[in-house]
Amino acid sequence: MRNFRFFSFALGLLLSANVVFADGRLVVYPAPEGALLNDDYTVKVRVPGESWQTLPVYLIKVDRVAGAGHNVTDASMAFFDVEGKVEVTVTYNRGKVDSARIRPLSYGITPATDGQTVTFVLEGPRNLSVEVNGDIFGNLHLFANPLLSDIPDRNNPDVIYFGPGIHTFEQGKFQVPSGKTVYVDGSAVLRGRLLIHNVRDVKVIGRGMVEHTVKMGIEIANSSNVLVDGLFTTQCATGGSDSVTIRNVKSISYYGWGDGMNVFASNNVLFDRVFCRNSDDCTTVYATRKGFVGGARNITMQHSTLWADVAHPIFIGIHGNTENPEVIENLHYVDIDILDHQEAQIDYQGCLSINAGDNNLIRNVKFEDIRIEDFRQGQLVNLRIFYNPKYCTAPGMGIENVLFKNISYTGKNAELSIIAGYNEERKIKNIVFENLVINGTTIHDRMEGKPAWYKTADMAGFFVGEHVAGITFVTTDDRD
């Protein structure tokens, strides 16, 4: 295998980026020769009052599902690093801009349009979708990263340095050794998988990418004390591992079974400021699965954006060990924007979905400060204990102590949400909806206009079935 520490490094970090210092700071990375680019958009950024910098716009792929088929569509991606305010112009090279929107909508970014150009201002790092003329498939994914700090010394023997250029690996994969820091420059493109297998004390950081042509781009397996920070990839799965942080990673997949950020039988996993647009579930937590054995505990996803072109944005609990029942517990999803959800199969719907199978007990789950935009097809919530013979060998044991706090949905496409247990021994217990807001209306047990004979769930468009105990809809004032 080649010595990757010095492969294609060119002239070093300072020549790999244009750096501007002013009221804020801006770093732009040139594309390496041979990179796959898309000319649908021309993107420029600048610190106010300084010179415009042109970003390379990379070709990526997304999944445009029609019926039961995956239809791969070309899309665009660009990125830069920033601290402070920056101005952005996006020119749509395919025609006139009749309308434009910037998502997540919660950021409140209102663009100006003029002919073929969209202009807007960012106050700092954001992961965005720029959508022209209502096109969510040929859109521009624009990632404004925070500035890098503590860039490692490429001459350090514990550093593996991928400098500017295209990098290929023997057998299409690179195994990261224990105790190493892998740095992927913002002008580096990896045409092979990064495997973090059976190691400890590993960092994979930078601003470069695992190219969209590489399925299952980053995989963490049977490892501990791992950090992955700042890269673009197709998928980033974690199995059989402990103490893992995945920060500011962007996952976009377009092929069948293209889950974004799975967790299998792992503990103490943090996802922070990630962006997932996937051709299957965006993020999952399972117990025993794919050769990884055990329950799952202490999983947090925060300050993130999820976009499910197929299946669930958040999915918990279907897989486990029927013969030796396991526990999935202490999960926290906080400050999340859900941009889309499309799933025609009723069994696999739900933006916020807990489906207990394989004798799993799932408990102590919090969904907090989650903003759900109008998706194409699916449900807001799906909580079920069920036996799905396609994926399970037994129903789940139970779902207990789930808090939905400050959940909002604005739209018209949500179908009937489902909350249902299995039998009196396999129940759903203690479910609290606090400040659930649907199209501006707060749903709670004392709300005005609710007929006394209605369930509060009826006002939310939720079906609450048998074997469900202790479900309440409250406001924060009620809990105080």
Side-chain angles (χ1 to χ4, degrees), residues 9-39:
F9 182 65
L11 296 179
L13 179 65
L14 292 179
L15 293 184
S16 74
N18 300 315
V19 183
V20 176
F21 295 91
D23 294 335
R25 290 191 290 174
L26 173 66
V27 182
V28 172
Y29 301 94
E33 184 178 353
L36 301 178
L37 302 177
N38 191 340
D39 62 3

Side-chain angles (χ1 to χ4, degrees), residues 3-252:
N3 184 337
F4 290 102
R5 268 182 285 167
F6 303 101
F7 182 77
S8 295
F9 182 65
L11 296 179
L13 179 65
L14 292 179
L15 293 184
S16 74
N18 300 315
V19 183
V20 176
F21 295 91
D23 294 335
R25 290 191 290 174
L26 173 66
V27 182
V28 172
Y29 301 94
E33 184 178 353
L36 301 178
L37 302 177
N38 191 340
D39 62 3
D40 285 353
Y41 301 91
T42 299
V43 185
K44 297 181 180 181
V45 295
R46 72 174 180 182
V47 172
E50 299 295 324
S51 299
W52 287 102
Q53 308 289 318
T54 301
L55 305 182
V57 179
Y58 290 90
L59 173 68
I60 60 171
K61 305 282 187 177
V62 297
D63 187 12
R64 183 172 191 158
V65 172
H70 293 274
N71 298 274
V72 177
T73 300
D74 289 351
S76 301
M77 185 271 288
F79 60 90
F80 59 97
D81 300 349
V82 67
E83 181 179 78
K85 182 181 292 188
V86 65
E87 299 174 345
V88 182
T89 68
V90 176
T91 299
Y92 182 53
N93 296 322
R94 300 182 65 180
K96 184 177 182 294
V97 176
D98 295 316
S99 65
R101 66 175 179 174
I102 312 294
R103 297 201 294 157
L105 297 176
S106 66
Y107 293 159
I109 300 171
T110 303
T113 62
D114 183 9
Q116 291 182 251
T117 299
V118 178
T119 304
F120 56 95
V121 174
L122 294 180
E123 298 294 337
R126 293 288 194 217
N127 293 325
L128 305 174
S129 171
V130 181
E131 298 162 10
V132 171
N133 300 337
D135 187 356
I136 64 171
F137 296 104
N139 61 315
L140 169 68
H141 303 79
L142 184 63
F143 302 129
N145 300 299
L147 291 177
L148 278 166
S149 60
D150 300 323
I151 297 173
D153 179 1
R154 68 182 183 275
N155 295 312
N156 184 327
D158 289 328
V159 172
I160 299 171
Y161 211 103
F162 293 103
I166 305 291
H167 302 265
T168 59
F169 307 138
E170 293 178 8
Q171 299 180 342
K173 57 190 177 182
F174 178 78
Q175 171 68 52
V176 180
S178 282
K180 300 295 185 181
T181 294
V182 175
Y183 181 78
V184 184
D185 183 86
S187 293
V189 174
L190 309 184
R191 288 184 176 160
R193 301 177 66 200
L194 285 178
L195 303 183
I196 305 168
H197 287 187
N198 305 300
V199 295
R200 60 181 300 123
D201 305 323
V202 161
K203 296 180 181 179
V204 178
I205 62 176
R207 291 291 180 264
M209 71 178 75
V210 179
E211 193 175 68
H212 77 269
T213 57
V214 180
K215 295 182 179 181
M216 300 180 291
I218 299 174
E219 184 176 76
I220 303 162
N222 303 316
S223 297
S224 63
N225 195 21
V226 173
L227 169 66
V228 181
D229 189 341
L231 275 65
F232 174 91
T233 185
T234 47
Q235 296 172 265
C236 186
T238 300
S241 296
D242 197 325
S243 301
V244 174
T245 297
I246 298 171
R247 177 171 289 121
N248 192 32
V249 172
K250 283 72 70 171
S251 163
I252 299 180

Side-chain angles (χ1 to χ4, degrees), residues 258-270:
D259 287 6
M261 297 186 181
N262 298 115
V263 174
F264 309 111
S266 294
N267 302 315
N268 306 306
V269 180
L270 171 64

Side-chain angles (χ1 to χ4, degrees), residues 17 64 332 459:
R64 183 172 191 158
H332 194 189
M459 306 301 290

